[in-house]
Coordinates of all heavy atoms in Angstrom, one line a residue:
M1 N -3.5 -19.9 25.5 CA -2.2 -19.4 25.9 C -1.8 -18.2 25.0 O -1.8 -18.2 23.8 CB -1.2 -20.6 25.8 CG 0.2 -20.2 26.3 SD 0.3 -21.1 27.8 CE 1.5 -20.2 28.7
F2 N -1.5 -17.1 25.7 CA -1.2 -15.9 25.0 C 0.4 -15.7 24.9 O 1.0 -15.7 25.9 CB -1.8 -14.7 25.7 CG -1.5 -13.4 25.0 CD1 -2.2 -13.0 23.9 CD2 -0.6 -12.5 25.6 CE1 -1.9 -11.8 23.3 CE2 -0.3 -11.3 25.0 CZ -1.0 -10.9 23.8
D3 N 0.9 -15.6 23.7 CA 2.3 -15.4 23.5 C 2.6 -14.1 22.9 O 2.1 -13.7 21.8 CB 2.8 -16.5 22.5 CG 4.3 -16.5 22.4 OD1 5.0 -15.9 23.2 OD2 4.9 -17.2 21.5
P4 N 3.3 -13.2 23.7 CA 3.4 -11.8 23.3 C 4.3 -11.7 22.0 O 4.1 -10.8 21.2 CB 4.1 -11.1 24.4 CG 4.5 -12.2 25.4 CD 3.8 -13.4 25.0
V5 N 5.2 -12.7 21.7 CA 6.0 -12.6 20.5 C 5.1 -12.8 19.3 O 5.2 -12.1 18.3 CB 7.1 -13.7 20.5 CG1 7.9 -13.7 19.2 CG2 8.1 -13.4 21.7
I6 N 4.2 -13.8 19.4 CA 3.3 -14.0 18.3 C 2.3 -12.8 18.1 O 2.0 -12.4 16.9 CB 2.5 -15.3 18.5 CG1 3.5 -16.5 18.3 CG2 1.4 -15.5 17.5 CD1 2.8 -17.9 18.6
A7 N 1.8 -12.3 19.2 CA 0.9 -11.1 19.1 C 1.6 -9.9 18.5 O 1.1 -9.2 17.6 CB 0.4 -10.8 20.4
G8 N 2.8 -9.7 18.9 CA 3.6 -8.5 18.3 C 3.9 -8.8 16.9 O 3.8 -7.8 16.1
S9 N 4.3 -10.0 16.5 CA 4.6 -10.2 15.2 C 3.3 -10.2 14.3 O 3.4 -9.7 13.1 CB 5.1 -11.7 15.0 OG 6.3 -11.9 15.8
S10 N 2.2 -10.5 14.8 CA 0.9 -10.3 14.0 C 0.6 -8.9 13.8 O 0.1 -8.5 12.8 CB -0.2 -11.0 14.8 OG 0.0 -12.5 14.9
V11 N 0.8 -8.0 14.8 CA 0.6 -6.6 14.6 C 1.5 -6.0 13.5 O 1.1 -5.3 12.7 CB 0.7 -5.8 16.0 CG1 0.7 -4.4 15.7 CG2 -0.3 -6.3 16.9
I12 N 2.8 -6.4 13.6 CA 3.7 -5.9 12.6 C 3.4 -6.5 11.2 O 3.4 -5.8 10.2 CB 5.2 -6.3 12.9 CG1 5.6 -5.6 14.2 CG2 6.1 -6.1 11.8 CD1 6.9 -6.1 14.8
A13 N 3.0 -7.7 11.1 CA 2.6 -8.4 9.8 C 1.3 -7.6 9.3 O 1.2 -7.4 8.1 CB 2.3 -9.8 9.9
A14 N 0.4 -7.3 10.2 CA -0.8 -6.7 9.8 C -0.6 -5.3 9.2 O -1.1 -4.8 8.2 CB -1.8 -6.6 10.9
S15 N 0.3 -4.6 9.8 CA 0.6 -3.2 9.4 C 1.4 -3.2 8.0 O 1.2 -2.4 7.2 CB 1.5 -2.4 10.4 OG 2.7 -3.1 10.6
L16 N 2.3 -4.3 7.9 CA 2.9 -4.4 6.6 C 2.0 -4.8 5.5 O 2.1 -4.3 4.4 CB 4.1 -5.4 6.7 CG 5.3 -5.0 7.5 CD1 6.2 -6.2 7.7 CD2 6.0 -3.8 6.8
A17 N 1.0 -5.7 5.8 CA 0.0 -6.1 4.8 C -0.8 -4.9 4.3 O -1.0 -4.8 3.1 CB -0.9 -7.2 5.5
V18 N -1.2 -4.1 5.3 CA -2.0 -2.9 4.8 C -1.2 -1.9 4.0 O -1.6 -1.4 3.0 CB -2.7 -2.3 6.0 CG1 -3.3 -1.0 5.6 CG2 -3.8 -3.2 6.6
G19 N 0.1 -1.7 4.5 CA 0.9 -0.8 3.9 C 1.3 -1.2 2.4 O 1.1 -0.4 1.5
F20 N 1.7 -2.4 2.3 CA 2.0 -2.9 0.9 C 0.8 -3.0 0.0 O 1.0 -2.8 -1.2 CB 2.9 -4.2 0.9 CG 4.3 -3.9 1.5 CD1 4.8 -4.8 2.4 CD2 5.1 -3.0 0.9 CE1 6.1 -4.6 2.8 CE2 6.3 -2.7 1.4 CZ 6.9 -3.6 2.4
A21 N -0.3 -3.4 0.6 CA -1.5 -3.5 -0.2 C -2.0 -2.2 -0.7 O -2.7 -2.1 -1.7 CB -2.5 -4.2 0.6
G22 N -1.7 -1.1 0.0 CA -2.1 0.2 -0.4 C -1.1 0.8 -1.3 O -1.5 1.7 -2.2
L23 N 0.1 0.4 -1.2 CA 1.2 1.0 -2.0 C 1.1 0.7 -3.5 O 1.1 1.6 -4.4 CB 2.6 0.7 -1.4 CG 3.8 1.2 -2.1 CD1 3.8 2.7 -1.8 CD2 5.0 0.5 -1.6
G24 N 1.0 -0.5 -3.8 CA 0.9 -1.1 -5.1 C -0.2 -0.5 -5.9 O 0.0 0.1 -7.0
P25 N -1.4 -0.7 -5.5 CA -2.6 -0.1 -6.2 C -2.6 1.5 -6.3 O -3.0 2.1 -7.3 CB -3.8 -0.6 -5.5 CG -3.3 -1.8 -4.8 CD -1.9 -1.6 -4.5
G26 N -1.9 2.1 -5.3 CA -1.9 3.6 -5.3 C -1.0 4.0 -6.5 O -1.4 4.9 -7.2
I27 N 0.1 3.3 -6.6 CA 1.1 3.7 -7.8 C 0.4 3.4 -9.1 O 0.5 4.1 -10.0 CB 2.3 3.0 -7.6 CG1 3.1 3.4 -6.4 CG2 3.2 3.1 -8.9 CD1 4.3 2.7 -6.0
G28 N -0.3 2.1 -9.1 CA -1.0 1.7 -10.3 C -2.1 2.7 -10.8 O -2.2 2.9 -11.9
Q29 N -2.8 3.2 -9.8 CA -3.9 4.1 -10.1 C -3.4 5.4 -10.6 O -4.0 6.0 -11.5 CB -4.9 4.2 -8.9 CG -5.8 3.1 -8.6 CD -6.6 3.3 -7.4 OE1 -6.5 4.3 -6.7 NE2 -7.4 2.4 -7.2
G30 N -2.3 5.9 -10.1 CA -1.8 7.1 -10.5 C -1.2 7.0 -11.9 O -1.5 7.8 -12.8
N31 N -0.6 5.9 -12.3 CA -0.1 5.7 -13.6 C -1.3 5.5 -14.6 O -1.3 6.1 -15.7 CB 0.7 4.5 -13.7 CG 2.1 4.6 -13.0 OD1 2.6 5.8 -12.9 ND2 2.8 3.5 -12.6
A32 N -2.3 4.8 -14.2 CA -3.4 4.5 -15.1 C -4.2 5.9 -15.3 O -4.5 6.1 -16.5 CB -4.3 3.5 -14.5
A33 N -4.4 6.7 -14.3 CA -5.1 7.9 -14.5 C -4.2 8.8 -15.4 O -4.8 9.5 -16.3 CB -5.4 8.5 -13.1
G34 N -3.0 8.9 -15.2 CA -2.1 9.8 -16.1 C -2.2 9.3 -17.6 O -2.3 10.1 -18.5
L35 N -2.1 8.0 -17.8 CA -2.1 7.5 -19.1 C -3.5 7.7 -19.7 O -3.6 7.9 -21.0 CB -1.7 6.1 -19.2 CG -0.2 5.9 -18.9 CD1 0.1 4.3 -18.8 CD2 0.7 6.6 -19.9
A36 N -4.6 7.6 -18.9 CA -5.9 7.8 -19.5 C -6.1 9.2 -19.9 O -6.7 9.5 -20.9 CB -7.0 7.4 -18.4
V37 N -5.6 10.2 -19.0 CA -5.8 11.6 -19.4 C -5.0 11.9 -20.7 O -5.5 12.6 -21.6 CB -5.3 12.5 -18.3 CG1 -5.1 13.9 -18.7 CG2 -6.2 12.4 -17.1
E38 N -3.8 11.3 -20.8 CA -3.0 11.4 -22.0 C -3.8 10.8 -23.3 O -3.7 11.4 -24.3 CB -1.6 10.8 -21.8 CG -0.7 10.9 -23.0 CD 0.6 10.2 -22.7 OE1 1.0 10.1 -21.6 OE2 1.2 9.7 -23.7
G39 N -4.4 9.7 -23.1 CA -5.1 9.1 -24.2 C -6.3 9.9 -24.6 O -6.6 10.0 -25.7
I40 N -7.0 10.5 -23.6 CA -8.1 11.3 -23.9 C -7.7 12.6 -24.6 O -8.4 13.1 -25.5 CB -9.0 11.6 -22.6 CG1 -9.7 10.4 -22.1 CG2 -10.0 12.7 -22.9 CD1 -10.3 10.5 -20.8
A41 N -6.5 13.1 -24.2 CA -6.1 14.3 -24.9 C -5.7 14.0 -26.3 O -5.8 14.9 -27.2 CB -4.8 14.9 -24.1
R42 N -5.2 12.8 -26.6 CA -4.8 12.5 -28.0 C -6.0 12.2 -28.8 O -6.0 12.4 -30.0 CB -3.9 11.3 -27.9 CG -2.5 11.7 -27.5 CD -1.6 10.4 -27.6 NE -0.3 10.8 -27.0 CZ 0.8 10.0 -27.0 NH1 0.6 8.8 -27.7 NH2 1.9 10.3 -26.5
Q43 N -7.0 11.5 -28.2 CA -8.2 11.1 -28.9 C -9.4 11.5 -28.2 O -9.9 10.5 -27.4 CB -8.1 9.6 -29.2 CG -7.1 9.2 -30.3 CD -7.2 7.7 -30.6 OE1 -7.5 6.9 -29.7 NE2 -7.0 7.3 -31.8
P44 N -9.9 12.6 -28.2 CA -11.0 13.0 -27.4 C -12.3 12.2 -27.8 O -13.2 12.1 -27.0 CB -11.3 14.4 -27.8 CG -10.0 14.9 -28.4 CD -9.3 13.8 -29.0
E45 N -12.4 11.7 -29.0 CA -13.7 10.9 -29.4 C -13.7 9.6 -28.7 O -14.7 8.9 -28.6 CB -13.7 10.7 -30.9 CG -12.5 9.9 -31.5 CD -11.3 10.6 -31.9 OE1 -11.2 11.9 -31.5 OE2 -10.3 10.0 -32.2
A46 N -12.6 9.1 -28.2 CA -12.6 7.8 -27.4 C -12.7 8.1 -25.9 O -12.5 7.0 -25.2 CB -11.3 7.1 -27.8
E47 N -13.2 9.1 -25.5 CA -13.2 9.3 -24.1 C -14.1 8.4 -23.3 O -13.7 7.9 -22.2 CB -13.8 10.8 -23.8 CG -13.9 11.1 -22.4 CD -14.6 12.5 -22.2 OE1 -14.9 13.2 -23.2 OE2 -14.7 12.9 -21.0
G48 N -15.3 8.1 -23.8 CA -16.2 7.2 -23.1 C -15.6 5.7 -22.9 O -15.7 5.2 -21.9
K49 N -15.0 5.3 -24.0 CA -14.3 3.9 -23.9 C -13.1 3.9 -22.9 O -13.0 3.0 -22.1 CB -13.8 3.6 -25.3 CG -13.7 2.2 -25.6 CD -13.5 1.9 -27.1 CE -13.7 0.5 -27.3 NZ -13.5 0.2 -28.8
I50 N -12.4 5.0 -23.0 CA -11.2 5.0 -22.1 C -11.7 5.2 -20.6 O -11.1 4.5 -19.8 CB -10.3 6.2 -22.5 CG1 -9.6 6.0 -23.8 CG2 -9.2 6.4 -21.4 CD1 -8.9 7.2 -24.4
R51 N -12.7 6.0 -20.4 CA -13.2 6.2 -19.0 C -13.7 4.9 -18.5 O -13.5 4.6 -17.3 CB -14.2 7.3 -19.0 CG -14.6 7.5 -17.6 CD -15.8 8.6 -17.5 NE -15.4 9.8 -18.0 CZ -16.2 10.6 -18.8 NH1 -17.4 10.2 -19.0 NH2 -15.8 11.7 -19.3
G52 N -14.5 4.1 -19.3 CA -15.1 2.9 -18.9 C -14.0 1.8 -18.5 O -14.0 1.2 -17.5
T53 N -12.9 1.7 -19.3 CA -11.8 0.9 -19.0 C -11.0 1.3 -17.8 O -10.7 0.5 -17.0 CB -10.9 0.8 -20.2 OG1 -11.6 0.4 -21.4 CG2 -9.8 -0.2 -20.0
L54 N -10.9 2.6 -17.6 CA -10.2 3.1 -16.5 C -11.0 2.8 -15.2 O -10.3 2.4 -14.2 CB -10.0 4.6 -16.7 CG -9.3 5.4 -15.4 CD1 -7.8 4.9 -15.3 CD2 -9.5 6.8 -15.7
L55 N -12.2 3.0 -15.2 CA -13.0 2.7 -13.9 C -13.0 1.2 -13.6 O -13.0 0.8 -12.4 CB -14.5 3.2 -14.1 CG -14.6 4.8 -14.2 CD1 -16.0 5.1 -14.3 CD2 -14.0 5.4 -12.9
L56 N -13.1 0.4 -14.7 CA -13.0 -1.1 -14.4 C -11.6 -1.4 -13.8 O -11.6 -2.2 -12.9 CB -13.3 -1.9 -15.6 CG -13.3 -3.4 -15.6 CD1 -14.5 -3.8 -14.7 CD2 -13.4 -3.9 -17.0
S57 N -10.5 -0.9 -14.3 CA -9.3 -1.2 -13.8 C -9.1 -0.6 -12.4 O -8.4 -1.3 -11.6 CB -8.2 -0.7 -14.7 OG -8.2 0.7 -14.8
F58 N -9.7 0.5 -12.1 CA -9.6 1.0 -10.7 C -10.3 0.1 -9.8 O -9.9 -0.2 -8.6 CB -10.3 2.4 -10.6 CG -9.5 3.5 -11.0 CD1 -10.0 4.8 -11.1 CD2 -8.2 3.4 -11.3 CE1 -9.2 5.9 -11.5 CE2 -7.3 4.5 -11.6 CZ -7.9 5.7 -11.8
A59 N -11.4 -0.5 -10.2 CA -12.2 -1.5 -9.3 C -11.3 -2.7 -9.0 O -11.2 -3.2 -7.8 CB -13.5 -1.9 -10.0
F60 N -10.6 -3.2 -10.0 CA -9.7 -4.3 -9.8 C -8.5 -4.0 -8.9 O -8.1 -4.8 -8.1 CB -9.2 -4.9 -11.1 CG -10.2 -5.7 -11.9 CD1 -10.4 -5.4 -13.3 CD2 -11.0 -6.6 -11.3 CE1 -11.4 -6.1 -14.0 CE2 -11.9 -7.3 -12.0 CZ -12.1 -7.0 -13.3
M61 N -8.0 -2.8 -9.1 CA -6.9 -2.3 -8.2 C -7.3 -2.1 -6.8 O -6.6 -2.5 -5.8 CB -6.3 -1.0 -8.7 CG -5.5 -1.3 -9.9 SD -4.6 0.2 -10.4 CE -5.3 0.6 -12.0
E62 N -8.5 -1.7 -6.5 CA -9.0 -1.4 -5.2 C -9.3 -2.8 -4.5 O -9.2 -2.9 -3.3 CB -10.3 -0.6 -5.1 CG -9.9 0.8 -5.4 CD -9.2 1.4 -4.3 OE1 -9.4 1.1 -3.1 OE2 -8.3 2.2 -4.6
S63 N -9.7 -3.8 -5.3 CA -10.0 -5.2 -4.7 C -8.7 -5.7 -4.1 O -8.7 -6.3 -3.1 CB -10.5 -6.1 -5.7 OG -9.6 -6.4 -6.7
L64 N -7.5 -5.4 -4.7 CA -6.3 -5.8 -4.1 C -6.0 -5.2 -2.8 O -5.5 -5.8 -1.8 CB -5.1 -5.5 -5.1 CG -5.1 -6.3 -6.4 CD1 -3.9 -5.7 -7.3 CD2 -4.9 -7.7 -6.1
T65 N -6.3 -3.9 -2.6 CA -6.3 -3.2 -1.4 C -7.1 -3.8 -0.3 O -6.7 -4.0 0.8 CB -6.6 -1.8 -1.6 OG1 -5.7 -1.2 -2.5 CG2 -6.3 -0.9 -0.3
I66 N -8.3 -4.2 -0.7 CA -9.3 -4.8 0.2 C -8.8 -6.2 0.6 O -9.0 -6.5 1.8 CB -10.7 -4.8 -0.4 CG1 -11.2 -3.4 -0.5 CG2 -11.7 -5.6 0.4 CD1 -12.5 -3.2 -1.4
Y67 N -8.2 -6.9 -0.2 CA -7.6 -8.2 0.2 C -6.6 -8.1 1.2 O -6.4 -8.8 2.1 CB -7.0 -9.0 -1.0 CG -8.1 -9.4 -2.0 CD1 -7.7 -9.6 -3.4 CD2 -9.3 -9.8 -1.6 CE1 -8.7 -10.0 -4.3 CE2 -10.2 -10.3 -2.5 CZ -9.9 -10.4 -3.9 OH -10.9 -10.8 -4.7
G68 N -5.7 -7.0 1.1 CA -4.7 -6.7 2.1 C -5.3 -6.3 3.4 O -4.9 -6.7 4.5
L69 N -6.4 -5.6 3.4 CA -7.1 -5.3 4.6 C -7.7 -6.5 5.3 O -7.7 -6.6 6.5 CB -8.2 -4.2 4.4 CG -9.1 -3.8 5.5 CD1 -8.2 -3.1 6.5 CD2 -10.2 -3.0 5.0
V70 N -8.3 -7.4 4.5 CA -8.8 -8.7 5.0 C -7.8 -9.5 5.7 O -8.0 -10.0 6.8 CB -9.5 -9.5 3.9 CG1 -9.9 -10.9 4.4 CG2 -10.8 -8.7 3.5
V71 N -6.6 -9.6 5.1 CA -5.5 -10.3 5.6 C -5.1 -9.7 7.0 O -4.8 -10.3 8.0 CB -4.3 -10.4 4.7 CG1 -3.0 -10.9 5.4 CG2 -4.6 -11.3 3.5
A72 N -5.0 -8.3 7.0 CA -4.6 -7.6 8.3 C -5.6 -7.9 9.4 O -5.2 -8.1 10.5 CB -4.3 -6.2 8.0
L73 N -6.9 -7.8 9.0 CA -7.9 -8.0 10.1 C -8.0 -9.4 10.5 O -8.2 -9.7 11.8 CB -9.2 -7.6 9.5 CG -9.5 -6.1 9.3 CD1 -10.8 -5.8 8.6 CD2 -9.3 -5.3 10.5
S74 N -7.7 -10.4 9.6 CA -7.6 -11.7 10.1 C -6.4 -12.0 11.0 O -6.5 -12.7 11.9 CB -7.7 -12.7 9.0 OG -6.5 -12.6 8.3
L75 N -5.3 -11.4 10.7 CA -4.2 -11.5 11.7 C -4.4 -10.8 13.0 O -3.9 -11.3 14.0 CB -2.9 -10.9 11.0 CG -2.2 -11.6 9.9 CD1 -1.2 -10.9 9.2 CD2 -1.7 -12.9 10.5
L76 N -5.2 -9.7 13.1 CA -5.4 -9.1 14.3 C -6.5 -9.7 15.2 O -6.4 -9.8 16.3 CB -5.7 -7.6 14.0 CG -4.6 -6.7 13.5 CD1 -5.1 -5.3 13.2 CD2 -3.5 -6.7 14.5
F77 N -7.6 -10.1 14.5 CA -8.7 -10.5 15.3 C -9.1 -12.0 15.2 O -9.8 -12.5 16.1 CB -10.0 -9.8 14.9 CG -9.8 -8.3 15.1 CD1 -9.8 -7.4 14.1 CD2 -9.7 -7.8 16.4 CE1 -9.6 -6.0 14.2 CE2 -9.6 -6.5 16.6 CZ -9.5 -5.6 15.6
A78 N -8.7 -12.8 14.2 CA -8.9 -14.1 14.0 C -7.6 -14.9 13.8 O -7.5 -15.6 12.8 CB -9.9 -14.5 12.9
N79 N -6.6 -14.6 14.6 CA -5.3 -15.1 14.3 C -5.2 -16.6 14.5 O -5.5 -17.1 15.6 CB -4.3 -14.4 15.3 CG -2.8 -14.5 14.9 OD1 -2.6 -15.4 14.1 ND2 -2.0 -13.7 15.4
P80 N -4.8 -17.4 13.5 CA -4.7 -18.8 13.6 C -3.5 -19.2 14.4 O -3.4 -20.4 14.7 CB -4.6 -19.2 12.2 CG -4.0 -18.1 11.5 CD -4.5 -16.8 12.1
F81 N -2.5 -18.4 14.7 CA -1.3 -18.8 15.4 C -1.4 -18.6 17.0 O -0.6 -19.1 17.7 CB -0.2 -17.9 14.9 CG 0.1 -18.0 13.4 CD1 -0.1 -17.0 12.6 CD2 0.5 -19.2 12.9 CE1 0.1 -17.1 11.2 CE2 0.7 -19.4 11.6 CZ 0.5 -18.3 10.7
V82 N -2.6 -18.0 17.3 CA -2.8 -17.8 18.8 C -3.8 -18.8 19.2 O -4.9 -19.0 18.6 CB -3.2 -16.4 19.1 CG1 -3.6 -16.2 20.6 CG2 -2.1 -15.4 18.7
K83 N -3.6 -19.5 20.3 CA -4.5 -20.5 20.8 C -5.4 -20.0 21.8 O -5.1 -19.2 22.5 CB -3.7 -21.8 21.3 CG -2.9 -22.5 20.2 CD -2.2 -23.7 20.8 CE -1.4 -24.3 19.6 NZ -0.6 -25.4 20.0

């Protein structure tokens, strides 16, 4: 049975999931990159260590975005609320 209210709500929820999942890590990556550049400017000899930590934190932040995408895709294509 197809319910248009549930289908419409799922599309809205999926768009919000992707939007908010991209917003948080985007702000975090911008802050982290800015602080990393500032740290490298203050201590150029620690560039390798700062860069490694920055790339690792970018990977963790991107995983949060991918989780939001997975939630959105499951709401769109494998919706548990639609029978």
Side-chain angles (χ1 to χ4, degrees):
M1 185 106 203
F2 181 75
D3 188 10
V5 173
I6 292 177
S9 299
S10 297
V11 170
I12 291 171
S15 64
L16 288 174
V18 170
F20 287 133
L23 182 68
I27 293 170
Q29 285 179 357
N31 288 338
L35 292 175
V37 169
E38 183 180 328
I40 291 171
R42 288 184 183 186
Q43 291 184 324
E45 65 274 1
E47 177 185 3
K49 203 171 197 181
I50 293 172
R51 184 184 301 142
T53 305
L54 178 67
L55 291 177
L56 182 64
S57 65
F58 278 172
F60 287 132
M61 285 185 242
E62 283 299 320
S63 69
L64 294 174
T65 306
I66 292 170
Y67 290 149
L69 178 65
V70 167
V71 167
L73 290 176
S74 67
L75 281 173
L76 291 176
F77 297 113
N79 195 341
F81 302 113
V82 176
K83 294 180 183 179

